[in-house]
Amino acid sequence: MRTDICERLGIEYPIFAFTPSEKVAAAVSRAGGLGVLGCVRFNDTEELEETLSWLDDNTDGKPYGVDVVMPMKIPTEGKAVDLKAMIPEEHISFVERTLQKLGVPPLPEGEGREGVLGWLHSVARSHVDVALNHRPVLIANALGSPPVDVIEQAHDAGVLVAALAGAAKHAASHVANGVDIIVAQGYEAGGHTGEIASMVLTPEIVDAVGPDVPVLGAGGIGCGRQVAASLALGAQGVWTGSIWLTAAEYDLSQGTGIRDALLRAGSGDTVRTRVYTGKPARLLKTKWTDAWEAEDAPTPLPMPLQNLLVADAHNRMNSGDDPDTISMPAGQIVGRTNEVRPVEQIMAELVSEYEETVARLEKIRG
Amino acid sequence: MRTDICERLGIEYPIFAFTPSEKVAAAVSRAGGLGVLGCVRFNDTEELEETLSWLDDNTDGKPYGVDVVMPMKIPTEGKAVDLKAMIPEEHISFVERTLQKLGVPPLPEGEGREGVLGWLHSVARSHVDVALNHRPVLIANALGSPPVDVIEQAHDAGVLVAALAGAAKHAASHVANGVDIIVAQGYEAGGHTGEIASMVLTPEIVDAVGPDVPVLGAGGIGCGRQVAASLALGAQGVWTGSIWLTAAEYDLSQGTGIRDALLRAGSGDTVRTRVYTGKPARLLKTKWTDAWEAEDAPTPLPMPLQNLLVADAHNRMNSGDDPDTISMPAGQIVGRTNEVRPVEQIMAELVSEYEETVARLEKIRG
């Protein structure tokens, strides 16, 4: 399974794995795909520095990428403490009331930490600076085009830039800004996502950006039949995320709640909501997301305030063992992850099922 | 392009075209697919009788199907006049107010007709009775399993039964009821639809019903790449709808509003709403659907009351020339129908692009 993007990035299979876990990213790269480390969780650039050094050392010299969260337009900026002052009292008391109602225990002594700051422009920019001291082959931006100077900074370092798009017009504008690769993020995807489903979105973006711009299909990809479908739609590769959250190598969860919730969830157990960051993102449907749909719930705040509001609550819920009260981005493909498996096995099955599928299509063609 | 379902139904290509237009249905069947006539618009069984006789005579002896709208559980029943008494005054005045606000003219003298009654169980059952006097090879039900005695009635006549499903568990239950073919109706589809996108839904249903039950992929299918994607996902064929609404043979529109709206709409110009029938269905987004999203709008009524409430309004809007004020089911694939083309040409392109796509996938496999 080889497309042009494999040559450009020096990878064996056009399978891109977005993951916050460096262990998973490294294993995907070693298995011939491209592990792409999500950087948004790193408030501390030194921790990112160390993690990327670890990746450098543990990918058998194979390529990897990084993913940042950087709006094109610089949003409200400032230190966490200033921003927190902008959060209405009504929202704070709703979060506290909800945690109490759901019986979420406080964090264990000494385990508190500040909210995720990676949503802040200045922090995302520092992620790029740190990454470029290492050897990523790709910087992806989860919120579309990064600012043009960041694209130039990456290009000067010989690094390609990918940007997520949920509509053809956004993809065209990313390309005009200098983005090299478009990730066509369908409605069914986890995390930030638009309303057009992959079946329609992928060929629409492929047609909009033309044959010289590689498009990766994202949203709903978890088995080799789906890889084949995405490539049939014109993608040069697939961008996967949710299927790696239950990989054996994934070790970011403190409690068992998240993994249990992911393993048991069906494709109908997700919801697209502004609860996580202030922009629409697909999450597992839990008692927490249900609470935000209730009549007494306030309207979520704009980015970056909403995540600052809920970050502590997420830490408290996600460090526990209760799968009913977690906050976790996941796509509809979560219905397909029903057991913990090593990355190498998941990769091998994606590739072999792709091959079987193409043989079947060939037979249908007659 | 041949799968097992082609043998079973005696068709050349596994391309199913749902359409309310007998002209389009006949042209699809003549071109080697299966035209499936939507019966819900026939209040008068004699009109359906005549239309099916016309189909018998104009399909060059090739097979065709019919589509009815029949809930498994028999809902509130009665004559239009009894049901209309159940519609709240608030809803009636909202519809009138909205039509006035949008400047929708009254119907031309003598063109009024009663609401669509095909949603009524008794009427849908009469559609089946009439159809079985003709030579359909397939009866499809847009609302899942028909009642078991209707399935038996079809089987006794040697006619296969298909049912739409938006979730794997519904598909499994349809099969348990005796349904022969499942139409996996993805989120992106026009008309009644669920929340799971085709990329995830199709293989999930294929796996749930097993290899002996043919699955047709529906939602987002409008070009040969999408046909290949759907077959890659495990479907034995594709179920298409929206792409035929702008076929040259389509002649049901009185004014130019509907066609203009379909031709100009992008993939983002649809909305999933309960406005049309009381159950979630995807429609073109227009000033009419916007009005129902406004703060002063009432909650849509349950089926069959909602369609009785709005049927006159739909007739008034759809007979006019204003593409901003129409009410029309359409899927996200509407972004791909930008010109009026004959059925034969659309069919030929679906087939040839499928073949090109498989050749490309074969090359990627290496």
Side-chain angles (χ1 to χ4, degrees):
Chain A
M1 195 201 310
R2 284 186 80 77
T3 63
D4 290 348
I5 196 71
C6 296
E7 313 297 331
R8 272 179 89 175
L9 294 174
I11 55 180
E12 195 175 353
Y13 306 117
I15 297 174
F16 295 68
F18 165 78
T19 173
S21 158
E22 67 274 15
K23 303 278 170 55
V24 173
V28 169
S29 286
R30 289 197 306 268
L34 193 80
V36 180
L37 182 71
C39 294
V40 78
R41 72 181 172 91
F42 294 94
N43 286 354
D44 178 356
T45 50
E46 275 188 35
E47 196 190 341
L48 177 60
E49 176 69 43
E50 281 166 29
T51 304
L52 291 174
S53 295
W54 184 91
L55 260 184
D56 289 334
D57 294 343
N58 288 277
T59 37
D60 296 351
K62 294 193 174 171
Y64 64 85
V66 296
D67 179 280
V68 298
V69 180
M70 188 180 275
M72 174 94 192
K73 291 184 194 134
I74 298 169
T76 311
E77 192 58 76
K79 293 194 183 303
V81 63
D82 304 328
L83 288 167
K84 275 188 176 157
M86 297 169 67
I87 296 176
E89 189 50 48
E90 180 204 355
H91 286 74
I92 295 167
S93 69
F94 171 77
V95 168
E96 280 169 10
R97 199 165 70 239
T98 303
L99 291 175
Q100 195 156 24
K101 205 185 290 176
L102 299 182
V104 177
L107 279 181
E109 196 73 31
E111 274 198 30
R113 59 168 201 178
E114 59 186 339
V116 173
L117 300 178
W119 315 109
L120 297 182
H121 193 82
S122 54
V123 177
R125 201 172 267 269
S126 76
H127 291 158
V128 173
D129 293 338
V130 170
L132 291 178
N133 290 331
H134 294 267
R135 53 171 187 78
V137 295
L138 179 76
I139 292 179
N141 185 24
L143 287 181
S145 296
V148 171
D149 72 291
V150 173
I151 297 175
E152 284 169 2
Q153 188 188 0
H155 286 172
D156 287 347
V159 173
L160 295 185
V161 175
L164 269 69
K169 66 179 176 199
H170 298 156
S173 125
H174 298 344
V175 172
N177 291 333
V179 166
D180 305 289
I181 298 169
I182 301 296
V183 179
Q185 174 90 336
Y187 167 80
E188 54 271 68
H192 292 126
T193 185
E195 291 189 355
I196 316 294
S198 289
M199 184 68 86
V200 172
L201 183 69
T202 304
E204 201 161 75
I205 287 184
V206 166
D207 292 346
V209 301
D212 296 336
V213 179
V215 173
L216 308 178
I221 317 284
C223 70
R225 284 171 288 176
Q226 288 155 335
V227 175
S230 190
L231 298 189
L233 295 171
Q236 274 200 25
V238 293
W239 180 267
T240 55
S242 305
I243 56 166
W244 308 106
L245 294 172
T246 44
E249 290 85 349
Y250 190 92
D251 65 350
L252 295 180
S253 306
Q254 295 167 285
T256 57
I258 292 179
R259 183 167 287 187
D260 290 347
L262 291 163
L263 291 174
R264 78 179 185 185
S267 57
D269 295 327
T270 71
V271 60
R272 188 169 167 269
T273 168
R274 291 181 50 229
V275 167
Y276 200 72
T277 67
K279 288 181 185 283
R282 185 175 300 283
L283 308 183
L284 279 185
K285 186 171 154 52
T286 63
K287 287 183 179 168
W288 170 248
T289 60
D290 287 348
W292 281 89
E293 310 254 310
E295 291 227 335
D296 69 326
T299 304
L301 300 170
M303 182 180 278
L305 298 181
Q306 178 68 16
N307 193 265
L308 286 171
L309 167 68
V310 295
D312 281 345
H314 291 178
N315 288 337
R316 276 175 63 178
M317 290 189 290
N318 290 356
S319 68
D321 292 327
D322 184 354
D324 288 337
T325 58
I326 60 156
S327 174
M328 189 68 195
Q332 292 184 339
I333 196 64
V334 72
R336 202 163 274 282
T337 55
N338 303 318
E339 52 177 337
V340 174
R341 298 188 305 156
V343 164
E344 197 179 357
Q345 187 186 337
I346 299 171
M347 279 290 291
E349 284 189 17
L350 289 171
V351 173
S352 66
E353 194 177 300
Y354 171 82
E355 291 173 354
E356 289 158 24
T357 301
V358 175
R360 180 166 50 77
L361 291 177
E362 183 68 27
K363 206 175 141 202
I364 292 171
R365 185 173 61 159
Chain B
M1 195 201 310
R2 282 188 81 78
T3 62
D4 290 347
I5 195 72
C6 296
E7 313 298 331
R8 270 179 89 175
L9 293 175
I11 54 179
E12 195 174 353
Y13 306 117
I15 297 174
F16 294 68
F18 164 78
T19 173
S21 158
E22 69 274 16
K23 303 278 170 56
V24 173
V28 169
S29 286
R30 288 196 307 267
L34 193 81
V36 180
L37 181 71
C39 295
V40 77
R41 72 181 173 90
F42 294 94
N43 286 355
D44 178 355
T45 50
E46 275 188 35
E47 196 189 340
L48 177 60
E49 175 69 43
E50 281 167 29
T51 304
L52 291 174
S53 294
W54 184 92
L55 261 183
D56 289 335
D57 293 342
N58 287 276
T59 37
D60 295 351
K62 294 191 174 173
Y64 64 85
V66 296
D67 180 279
V68 298
V69 180
M70 189 181 273
M72 173 95 190
K73 291 183 193 135
I74 297 169
T76 311
E77 191 60 72
K79 294 200 182 298
V81 63
D82 303 327
L83 289 166
K84 274 188 176 155
M86 297 169 68
I87 296 176
E89 190 50 50
E90 181 204 354
H91 285 74
I92 294 167
S93 69
F94 171 77
V95 168
E96 279 169 12
R97 198 164 70 239
T98 302
L99 291 176
Q100 194 156 28
K101 206 186 287 175
L102 299 182
V104 177
L107 279 182
E109 196 71 31
E111 275 200 29
R113 59 167 200 177
E114 59 185 341
V116 172
L117 300 179
W119 315 109
L120 297 181
H121 193 81
S122 54
V123 177
R125 201 173 267 267
S126 75
H127 291 158
V128 174
D129 293 338
V130 170
L132 291 178
N133 290 331
H134 294 268
R135 54 171 187 79
V137 294
L138 180 76
I139 292 180
N141 185 24
L143 287 181
S145 297
V148 172
D149 71 292
V150 173
I151 297 175
E152 284 170 2
Q153 188 188 359
H155 285 171
D156 287 347
V159 173
L160 295 184
V161 176
L164 269 69
K169 66 180 174 198
H170 299 157
S173 125
H174 298 343
V175 172
N177 291 333
V179 166
D180 305 288
I181 298 170
I182 301 296
V183 179
Q185 173 89 336
Y187 167 81
E188 54 271 68
H192 292 127
T193 183
E195 292 189 354
I196 315 294
S198 289
M199 184 68 87
V200 172
L201 182 68
T202 304
E204 202 162 75
I205 287 184
V206 167
D207 293 347
V209 300
D212 295 336
V213 179
V215 173
L216 308 178
I221 317 285
C223 70
R225 287 171 287 176
Q226 288 155 335
V227 174
S230 190
L231 298 189
L233 295 171
Q236 274 200 26
V238 292
W239 179 267
T240 55
S242 306
I243 57 165
W244 308 106
L245 294 171
T246 46
E249 289 84 347
Y250 191 91
D251 64 350
L252 295 180
S253 305
Q254 295 167 283
T256 58
I258 291 179
R259 183 169 286 188
D260 290 347
L262 291 163
L263 291 173
R264 77 178 185 186
S267 58
D269 296 326
T270 71
V271 60
R272 188 169 166 269
T273 167
R274 290 181 49 229
V275 167
Y276 200 73
T277 67
K279 289 182 185 282
R282 185 175 298 285
L283 308 183
L284 280 185
K285 184 171 153 53
T286 63
K287 287 182 179 167
W288 171 249
T289 59
D290 288 348
W292 281 90
E293 310 254 309
E295 292 227 333
D296 69 326
T299 304
L301 300 170
M303 183 180 278
L305 297 180
Q306 178 68 16
N307 192 265
L308 285 171
L309 167 67
V310 294
D312 282 344
H314 290 179
N315 287 339
R316 275 175 63 178
M317 292 189 289
N318 290 357
S319 68
D321 292 327
D322 185 354
D324 287 337
T325 56
I326 60 156
S327 175
M328 189 68 196
Q332 292 185 339
I333 197 63
V334 72
R336 201 164 274 280
T337 54
N338 303 316
E339 51 176 339
V340 174
R341 298 188 305 156
V343 164
E344 196 178 359
Q345 188 185 337
I346 299 171
M347 279 290 290
E349 286 189 16
L350 289 172
V351 173
S352 66
E353 194 177 299
Y354 171 81
E355 290 173 354
E356 289 158 25
T357 301
V358 175
R360 180 165 51 76
L361 291 177
E362 183 68 29
K363 207 175 140 200
I364 291 171
R365 184 172 63 157

